[in-house]
Amino acid sequence: LTHALPALVDTHCHLDAPQLADDGPAAVIARAHAAGVARLVTIGTDLDTSRAAVGLAAAHAADGVWATVGVDPNDLDAWDASSPAALAELAASERVVAVGEIGLDYHWLRATPEVQRAAFLAQLDVARAAGLPVVIHSRDADQDTAAILLAWSASAPATARPLGVMHCFAGDVGLAQRYVAAGFIISLAGTVTYPRNQRAQDVARWLPRDAYVLETDAPYLAPVPHRGQRNEPAFVAETAAFVAALRGEPLDAVAADTSANAARLFGWNAA
Ligand SMILES: [Zn+2]
């Protein structure tokens, strides 16, 4: 008899990252499967990495790998009037489950807020035209990100699917409540395991069972006990165990809820 591991989803990783290249994506995916991570979503951050994400998802379709395509606010150097059409073309791939990561980053300010907002709005349009949810990156820009997303959600066609996911959510319970009420779900990353991150832990305790997913953001932000090391999708199991203890729920329940939520978000038939 084998003890079945709970099936988990890593909703946000960067399988094409150079940090994960030394042993190759097949080894990274195999370690994820061994840790109970049945599905992985590899995330684009510009047109090149979006193309790479689609390629990895196609090459590893049988391994449960899916892709998102998008240009994040720190990678807008090559963004121009032709970019939305190029993105829409990539978004049409059957392996693509969302547009992202997109959003605003006023911490690094690698592009001006005006340029960031224009690219964000253009990519929200691409997502709506493609009928896809969005993966949102927001850093030190909560007010502008919320204003844009709450307006976008208000004009969305009625759907039972989440409109998108707040990746590596760093806001407080009040902001989480506003996003959930507007039709978004919240993604908890390894940062929730950091002892001093009371704000994320409060959010993790508050979240309704149908309103959150888990992610690694690998190769970045490894959870305890791997903090400071290279992160990889297998480590989403550590975050799941931490969140289960925090919520006072069995690990199996957290795995089942977050996998079902990921399936609704990304349009999979079943987790
Ligand atoms: Zn990311």
Side-chain angles (χ1 to χ4, degrees), residues 12 14 43 101 167 217:
H12 190 121
H14 300 274
I43 305 286
E101 53 189 290
H167 141 67
D217 204 17

Side-chain angles (χ1 to χ4, degrees), residues 157-225:
T159 170
R161 275 179 75 181
L163 297 175
V165 57
M166 305 306 299
H167 141 67
C168 196
F169 184 71
D172 60 12
V173 170
L175 187 60
Q177 287 171 332
R178 291 172 70 198
Y179 281 128
V180 170
F184 294 90
I185 61 177
I186 302 296
S187 181
L188 299 174
T191 46
V192 74
T193 69
Y194 299 172
R196 299 203 307 186
N197 200 349
Q198 279 301 323
R199 186 162 62 174
Q201 291 165 14
D202 288 344
V203 169
R205 279 190 209 91
W206 168 78
L207 281 165
R209 288 179 58 183
D210 64 354
Y212 75 107
V213 293
L214 303 173
E215 67 167 279
T216 58
D217 204 17
Y220 316 107
L221 300 172
V224 171

Side-chain angles (χ1 to χ4, degrees), residues 8-190:
L8 295 165
V9 178
D10 184 357
T11 64
H12 190 121
C13 61
H14 300 274
L15 279 184
D16 67 305
Q19 295 93 325
L20 294 174
D22 50 357
D23 44 3
V28 173
I29 294 163
R31 287 197 295 274
H33 289 172
V37 183
R39 289 184 177 179
L40 300 80
V41 181
T42 188
I43 305 286
T45 56
D46 59 19
L47 288 176
D48 286 342
T49 56
S50 294
R51 249 174 238 115
V54 174
L56 279 163
H60 296 279
D63 303 318
V65 178
W66 299 81
T68 74
V69 295
V71 180
D72 79 37
N74 296 317
D75 288 286
L76 290 170
D77 289 348
W79 182 266
D80 64 26
S82 71
S83 302
L87 193 65
E89 194 175 320
L90 284 170
S93 160
E94 61 175 357
R95 302 305 302 170
V96 171
V97 291
V99 169
E101 53 189 290
I102 59 174
L104 302 175
D105 194 319
Y106 296 172
H107 178 80
W108 295 112
L109 277 176
R110 295 214 169 102
T112 66
E114 293 72 24
V115 167
Q116 292 189 34
R117 287 193 290 264
F120 187 19
L121 289 167
Q123 293 181 94
L124 289 172
D125 286 346
V126 169
R128 183 155 294 164
L132 290 170
V134 288
V135 177
I136 301 299
H137 171 112
S138 178
R139 187 161 184 199
D140 294 351
D142 281 347
Q143 208 173 335
D144 283 5
T145 303
I148 287 171
L149 287 179
L150 297 180
W152 185 70
S153 67
S155 65
T159 170
R161 275 179 75 181
L163 297 175
V165 57
M166 305 306 299
H167 141 67
C168 196
F169 184 71
D172 60 12
V173 170
L175 187 60
Q177 287 171 332
R178 291 172 70 198
Y179 281 128
V180 170
F184 294 90
I185 61 177
I186 302 296
S187 181
L188 299 174

